[in-house]
Amino acid sequence: MPSFHEVFAQAAGTGGTLPFDRFCELALYHPQVGYYRRDRPRVGRLPGTDFHTSASSNPVFGTLVAAACANLVGPAAAEHVFVEIGAETHASVLDGIPHPFREVRTIRIGEPLRIDGPCIVFSNELFDAQPFVRLVFRAGAWRERGVQLANDALTIVEMPEPRSDTAELIARLPTTPGEAYELDISPAAARLAGRVAAQPWTGLFVAFDYGRSWRELTEDSPAGTARAYRAHRQHNDLLADPGEQDLTCHVCWDEIIAAIARRGFRDETIESQEAFFIRHAGEAVEAIVTGTPRGPDPMRLQLQQLIHPTLMGQKFQVLTARRSF
């Protein structure tokens, strides 16, 4: 198996430099050295994992997802296929969870994206796992960041000129954000949402993720949102051990919504995870609270993790949208 530096050098060619999103793509998804292509558990609280998501609180998370989606779809739930996209290698959100749907399908990372008919298409922290562009405002202009390999070391550099598609993105940005303002944004996430929406299916789109609006990212986040995760520790060294750590940034919800709206999705709503479950899975929440004995209970502890505002309840948001032909 080649080393990451060998893969990077081949992709970069004689210039030795790649735009940051291209570096990110190699570090996350290269078939041999990419983080998400390694056959090992990444999510959970066990030794050897790197981070936990809402899905780590199963079976409660799956129970609430099934209840909320069934409530949103209504009596037609039995006609819908529940499709989870981007699931981890070793688990799916509705594993072992009772549900009213016609069928449950799982499309894992790297598998063909084929969706048709009446569906509920669900993802959990998929869009924040896409490669992202890094920009910095310096000396009156937005500059694109890249990664350079020199003397067997990777370093962050500023590209001489932004690429054409990045220049189109820059043209939409504020012209006076402040010196050294940093922006991390993922056009790849919006493209993925567009590919999902381009499939011939109708029904409910449900995406759990952490994100911010275009305004929040471009005006209220001067330090950017990129970070790395390894062994349940968050840090800012995005070049450390590429292929061995997760790289992520906040989703831009406006870009995701625009991508699916172009394909006919309507009624787009973003709610905090706390509000989503309370509003749409209230009976399931109540059953967990009242249906177990007093004292410490694993189900109630998982529920608290998911909906408490200081834990995951406000950290994550849920985008829902609908389409009918």
Side-chain angles (χ1 to χ4, degrees):
M1 181 179 294
S3 69
F4 181 84
H5 281 193
E6 290 171 333
V7 169
F8 183 97
Q10 183 176 10
T14 56
T17 302
L18 289 175
F20 190 87
D21 59 337
R22 179 64 177 132
F23 158 79
C24 201
E25 182 181 355
L26 295 177
L28 295 179
Y29 293 107
H30 186 275
Q32 293 176 296
V33 299
Y35 176 77
Y36 281 106
R37 296 302 182 96
R38 298 180 184 274
D39 186 19
R40 70 170 181 86
R42 288 167 285 270
V43 180
R45 295 183 172 87
L46 297 176
T49 59
D50 293 315
F51 55 90
H52 61 264
T53 71
S54 296
S56 306
S57 296
N58 252 358
V60 171
F61 183 62
T63 298
L64 297 184
V65 167
C69 291
N71 182 43
L72 285 165
V73 173
E79 304 170 8
H80 284 65
V81 176
F82 184 95
V83 182
E84 181 177 4
I85 56 175
E88 277 292 309
T89 303
H90 300 88
S92 297
V93 69
L94 294 191
D95 282 348
I97 304 296
H99 63 81
F101 312 120
R102 177 164 63 88
E103 180 187 350
V104 173
R105 288 181 52 212
T106 303
I107 301 176
R108 303 190 188 278
I109 292 172
E111 295 181 345
L113 190 65
R114 299 192 183 101
I115 311 170
D116 55 36
C119 291
I120 298 164
V121 176
F122 164 88
S123 68
N124 180 48
E125 290 198 61
L126 171 62
F127 295 103
D128 69 66
Q130 303 310 304
F132 52 93
V133 172
R134 305 203 73 201
L135 302 172
V136 61
F137 191 83
R138 200 182 313 282
W142 285 101
R143 303 175 187 275
E144 182 174 11
R145 283 179 162 163
V147 178
Q148 184 178 75
L149 176 62
N151 299 321
D152 203 34
L154 295 170
T155 56
I156 298 288
V157 297
E158 293 178 12
M159 309 288 287
E161 295 290 338
R163 293 164 294 169
S164 58
D165 52 348
T166 308
E168 293 176 5
L169 170 64
I170 288 174
R172 300 161 49 205
L173 296 177
T175 55
T176 56
E179 184 69 10
Y181 194 105
E182 298 182 3
L183 175 64
D184 303 303
I185 195 161
S186 177
R191 290 194 296 269
L192 175 58
R195 290 198 299 273
V196 172
Q199 296 288 305
W201 64 279
T202 60
L204 182 67
F205 179 97
V206 184
F208 282 69
D209 232 309
Y210 49 85
R212 295 177 183 173
S213 68
W214 175 267
R215 187 197 62 78
E216 289 172 324
L217 289 172
T218 60
E219 299 179 18
D220 298 337
S221 308
T225 64
R227 62 253 199 210
Y229 285 95
R230 188 173 186 183
H232 295 275
R233 293 184 179 180
Q234 175 185 325
H235 63 88
N236 296 324
D237 188 354
L238 305 185
L239 305 185
D241 300 318
E244 299 289 343
Q245 64 176 1
D246 188 27
L247 302 174
T248 183
C249 74
H250 275 61
V251 169
C252 180
W253 286 122
D254 295 295
E255 298 290 275
I256 301 292
I257 289 172
I260 63 175
R262 284 193 288 269
R263 294 288 184 172
F265 278 85
R266 299 292 180 265
D267 303 325
E268 304 95 339
T269 302
I270 297 176
E271 302 171 276
S272 68
Q273 182 169 286
E274 173 192 12
F276 179 80
F277 283 142
I278 295 298
R279 289 172 181 165
H280 305 298
E283 291 185 6
V285 170
E286 184 177 3
I288 293 169
V289 172
T290 63
T292 52
R294 290 182 176 274
D297 174 76
M299 298 285 279
R300 280 204 296 267
L301 290 175
Q302 288 182 6
L303 177 64
Q304 183 181 40
Q305 284 284 331
L306 292 170
I307 67 173
H308 196 283
T310 63
L311 299 173
M312 293 183 174
Q314 292 294 322
K315 177 181 179 181
F316 293 98
Q317 299 90 49
V318 187
L319 168 63
T320 57
R322 303 171 186 267
R323 178 172 64 183
S324 59
F325 287 156

